[in-house]
Amino acid sequence: MSEPKKLFIKTYGCQMNVYDSERMAEALGGQGYVETQSPDDADMILLNTCHIREKAAEKVYSELGRFKGLKADKPDLKIGVAGCVAQAEGEEIMRRQPLVDLVVGPQSYHRLPEMEAKTRAGEKALDTDFPEEDKFEKLKSRPKATRGPTAFLTVQEGCDKFCAFCVVPYTRGAEVSRPADRILTEARDLVERGVREITLLGQNVNAYHGAGPNGDTSLAGLIWELNKIDGLERIRFTTSHPNDMTDDLIEAHGTCDKLMPYLHLPVQAGSDKILKRMNRSHTADSYLRLVERIRAARPDILMSGDFIVGFPEETEEDFQATLDLVEEVRYGYAYSFKYSTRPGTPAAERPQVPEDKATDRLHRLQALITRHQREVQDDMVGREVRVLFEKAGRLEGQMVGKSEYLHAVHVGGANVTSGDLRRVRITASGANSLAGELV
Ligand code: SAM
Ligand code: SF4
């Protein structure tokens, strides 16, 4: 039997890329590849890239440059670029970095096996189409090996919202939902393999409207179906847009026992002027009223969000409105970014906020968010939570898992294994995690 070929995948960016990398590894598994954790012994290196952050493409080019030595030592090594930078840059990647053999966009990676064969024949392979066929349909069967207790499952891709700062509608394309029965089959397969918590993914996951037995299914409808799967204990979803937070989804947060009390609901800014210029089509007040309704349905829900500071023409007064909104919501987690231009997006052409001002605002916002995050975490001390244990901790005999609220919880000296779901009393709150003991 010939030695298996080795595949090294480096994943950048969001959870959707984590899911895509898993599926790419499975697709190439059919070509005799097994995954390796080191690029040094790989026969193929794939960079699964993200285009959201500043100078994303430049960072990919410099990472590729580092593989020059490896390729010189091992001429058979194949190097590929996948994900949103692949989609945005296309052929330009091979022109600027000739050591790249393969470029594949996020909608066409089901074609990886043929593309890999092409590279083995000494040709370059490029595919950044938005093909008619559904990649998930082509990649229907997934391996049966057991796996860890948590998994991502992409249910929706692309976005039609066109926020003025964002490249997603251009790199991931128009909004598409997967049919409900395919998702349920995949979820049941995951549960058979040991998964107990599934996070449904989509750039705009709550806009989900996949075909179901009685017409289109909403995200809430899908969650209720998943709720019936024996052995599945927890359901989460991310990322949601405020305008797609429908009544049935809010209600599910109060009534669906497997749906976890955590919601990532980005608002981006607190000033209506800026929200309008961002093309967000909601106001600060409509967002706050929405949070109120969600909290009325599920009072202990932990809110999380995304913010952009230094958006073109943001004044100190606009920024203050963002701080005010944060004060009012008191997020348990929040991610904040300095605006950075994305060529081709509407905001790229507008007057930019000076760098030092934007940096100062980012620091001030992050200080406030960190304070709230810490307070919300500290409030857990003395409470009982349910922890889904995932892996061993750094200390001898310690296990780590996540609470309902997505806090990491360490428990020492307990007789638990990965996949166990146990009640834990929180005894201490650290910098980024909690400690507790089994009840
Ligand atoms: N779909 C989600 C939503 O509606 O907010 C978020 C998608 S995006 C992948 C994740 C986050 O990156 C955004 O919420 C935003 O805060 C940030 N982001 C996107 N484009 C950005 C840009 N040009 N500059 C800075 N941050 C950006
Ligand atoms: Fe980007 Fe999210 Fe806006 Fe869509 S809704 S354009 S993914 S920020």
Side-chain angles (χ1 to χ4, degrees):
M1 231 172 86
S2 63
E3 279 267 303
K5 289 176 279 183
K6 294 202 175 123
L7 169 69
F8 173 75
I9 303 192
K10 183 162 176 179
T11 308
Y12 301 80
C14 65
Q15 293 113 323
M16 295 194 69
N17 269 9
V18 175
Y19 177 82
D20 286 345
S21 290
E22 229 177 87
R23 304 300 306 254
M24 285 188 228
E26 288 171 8
L28 287 168
Q31 304 297 104
Y33 279 90
V34 294
E35 270 194 90
T36 171
Q37 299 309 314
S38 156
D40 299 339
D41 60 356
D43 299 288
M44 174 173 260
I45 295 176
L46 260 186
L47 300 184
N48 189 12
T49 60
C50 166
H51 204 278
I52 285 287
R53 298 288 153 255
E54 177 124 45
K55 303 195 178 77
E58 291 315 309
K59 284 179 189 151
V60 171
Y61 286 118
S62 80
E63 178 85 35
L64 287 168
R66 274 183 242 138
F67 297 136
K68 260 195 191 131
L70 275 182
K71 183 107 172 175
D73 292 345
K74 201 178 189 180
D76 266 357
L77 169 68
K78 301 299 173 199
I79 296 181
V81 181
C84 292
V85 173
Q87 189 66 44
E89 296 276 295
E91 212 169 351
E92 176 68 7
I93 298 184
M94 290 169 172
R95 201 190 58 73
R96 269 186 69 178
Q97 188 43 278
L99 60 73
V100 172
D101 302 284
L102 180 157
V103 172
V104 62
Q107 298 311 336
S108 30
Y109 64 72
H110 55 292
R111 295 173 176 166
L112 265 175
E114 300 98 83
M115 295 176 77
E116 189 269 352
K118 206 168 160 191
T119 66
R120 292 283 156 214
E123 289 174 53
K124 300 254 183 201
L126 168 80
D127 194 334
T128 50
D129 290 351
F130 286 96
E132 280 293 311
E133 78 262 17
D134 172 9
K135 67 174 177 251
F136 296 119
E137 195 46 25
K138 297 275 164 196
L139 298 171
K140 215 158 36 185
S141 66
R142 300 196 67 178
K144 295 292 173 210
T146 53
R147 44 171 300 156
T150 62
F152 294 130
L153 204 175
T154 294
V155 302
Q156 175 280 333
E157 285 192 287
C159 183
D160 296 337
K161 297 271 191 296
F162 290 93
C163 298
F165 50 81
C166 187
V167 282
V168 168
Y170 311 96
T171 57
R172 290 269 175 168
E175 201 190 293
V176 181
S177 295
R178 295 178 66 192
D181 61 342
R182 312 274 160 75
I183 295 165
L184 292 167
T185 304
E186 199 173 324
R188 283 188 208 102
D189 282 353
L190 288 168
V191 171
E192 271 173 32
R193 294 169 60 194
V195 169
R196 306 195 76 191
E197 171 179 307
I198 290 180
T199 303
L200 306 174
L201 299 179
Q203 266 92 21
N204 221 177
V205 72
N206 57 343
Y208 176 82
H209 57 93
N214 310 309
D216 275 5
T217 312
S218 67
L219 185 66
L222 182 66
I223 288 169
W224 279 110
E225 286 304 311
L226 288 161
N227 200 54
K228 293 180 193 158
I229 299 179
D230 282 341
L232 179 64
E233 303 288 348
R234 293 177 156 188
I235 304 163
R236 303 181 187 276
F237 60 89
T238 195
T239 295
S240 298
H241 190 287
N243 288 9
D244 293 313
M245 245 4 251
T246 47
D247 291 348
D248 59 348
L249 191 54
I250 297 175
E251 197 188 313
H253 268 292
T255 49
C256 181
D257 58 323
K258 293 183 184 173
L259 183 58
M260 291 294 102
Y262 178 101
L263 180 64
H264 185 63
L265 192 65
V267 62
Q268 313 296 355
S271 144
D272 287 345
K273 177 193 97 189
I274 295 298
L275 286 170
K276 191 150 195 247
R277 291 183 188 179
M278 284 177 165
N279 193 31
R280 288 290 294 181
S281 57
H282 58 77
T283 62
D285 189 59
S286 70
Y287 179 85
L288 289 169
R289 298 295 75 83
L290 177 62
V291 172
E292 254 172 34
R293 286 176 54 219
I294 296 164
R295 283 188 166 146
R298 179 79 202 222
D300 64 338
I301 200 160
L302 189 145
M303 296 298 301
S304 136
D306 286 348
F307 291 89
I308 295 178
V309 300
F311 187 76
E313 297 167 281
E314 181 190 68
T315 62
E316 179 57 30
E317 199 185 346
D318 294 320
F319 173 66
Q320 191 57 50
T322 298
L323 294 179
D324 293 346
L325 182 141
V326 171
E327 277 291 0
E328 199 158 336
V329 176
R330 221 171 151 254
Y331 292 90
Y333 285 104
Y335 307 87
S336 44
F337 313 101
K338 211 165 19 168
Y339 171 73
S340 72
T341 49
R342 293 282 162 273
T345 57
E349 312 299 325
R350 301 184 193 153
Q352 306 292 313
V353 169
E355 184 71 19
D356 55 339
K357 272 204 177 121
T359 305
D360 173 61
R361 287 176 195 167
L362 184 66
H363 290 158
R364 284 154 61 203
L365 176 61
Q366 286 181 340
L368 181 63
I369 287 170
T370 308
R371 177 159 67 74
H372 289 165
Q373 226 164 263
R374 192 59 209 251
E375 285 167 6
V376 170
Q377 202 189 280
D378 292 350
D379 281 350
M380 292 285 160
V381 178
R383 280 180 61 178
E384 257 186 39
V385 294
R386 268 160 70 81
V387 175
L388 177 60
F389 286 97
E390 290 175 29
K391 57 182 183 199
R394 270 188 292 129
L395 304 179
E396 180 77 29
Q398 192 185 49
M399 286 292 289
V400 193
K402 296 270 169 59
S403 75
E404 302 86 324
Y405 310 99
L406 217 56
H407 286 124
V409 180
H410 292 79
V411 175
N415 187 19
V416 289
T417 53
S418 170
D420 284 353
L421 187 61
R422 303 284 290 272
R423 295 209 73 82
V424 170
R425 182 170 299 104
I426 301 301
T427 52
S429 169
N432 295 306
S433 64
L434 296 163
E437 54 196 24
L438 292 189
V439 176

